[in-house]
Amino acid sequence: MIRFAFDECFHGKVLRALLVRKPDLNYVRIQDLDLPDKSDPFILEWASVENRIIVTPDKNTMIGYASRRITSGLRMPGMIVVGKNLGFRTVIDDLLTIDECSQQPEWEGQIKHLPI
């Protein structure tokens, strides 16, 4: 089972539909956490400590920070970048496939774009 962390920018409607199909999904929403600083570098460090794969539509900044972590030799448990123009069904199906067909260690240091 994959441990997801959904970025604040992730569409809540997609997450709700995802949970209808998989109620026991192992996830947290960044906006629900009491983090003192919710900057991208802070979230990535938190995800590293908590061993959670970030799911985000943020192509502008999050990818750059994640790439720098990887090239600097810092731990990065993985990132899934969801295109804003993807259909909800595609996003849900892809995330469910990832959850069911992959294992957490496979994502270490990976930045992948949906659809995969």
Side-chain angles (χ1 to χ4, degrees), residues 54-107:
I54 298 288
V55 182
T56 183
D58 183 358
K59 294 180 182 180
N60 296 324
T61 60
M62 190 67 91
I63 292 173
Y65 288 118
S67 296
R68 281 189 282 268
R69 283 188 69 83
I70 294 166
T71 58
S72 298
L74 296 173
R75 183 162 189 272
M76 223 289 289
M79 178 178 290
I80 299 168
V81 182
V82 178
K84 291 184 180 182
N85 295 325
L86 285 178
F88 285 6
R89 175 169 280 168
T90 300
V91 174
I92 292 165
D93 288 346
D94 283 359
L95 289 173
L96 288 173
T97 299
I98 289 166
D99 186 58
E100 293 169 9
C101 299
S102 64
Q103 295 184 19
Q104 192 81 20
E106 295 174 47
W107 288 90

Side-chain angles (χ1 to χ4, degrees), residues 8 30-43:
E8 290 178 302
I30 298 300
Q31 64 263 38
D32 293 338
L33 302 174
D34 185 25
L35 299 176
D37 175 8
K38 291 185 180 179
S39 67
D40 291 348
F42 189 90
I43 290 168

Side-chain angles (χ1 to χ4, degrees), residues 1-4 6 14-27 92-102:
M1 180 180 292
I2 299 296
R3 296 169 46 88
F4 293 110
F6 291 94
V14 176
L15 181 56
R16 286 188 297 277
L18 184 61
L19 292 172
V20 166
R21 297 223 358 232
K22 181 144 175 88
D24 64 340
L25 187 73
N26 188 331
Y27 80 99
I92 292 165
D93 288 346
D94 283 359
L95 289 173
L96 288 173
T97 299
I98 289 166
D99 186 58
E100 293 169 9
C101 299
S102 64

Side-chain angles (χ1 to χ4, degrees), residues 37-52:
D37 175 8
K38 291 185 180 179
S39 67
D40 291 348
F42 189 90
I43 290 168
L44 290 168
E45 178 60 26
W46 171 88
S48 173
V49 170
E50 296 296 320
N51 194 31
R52 291 203 174 264

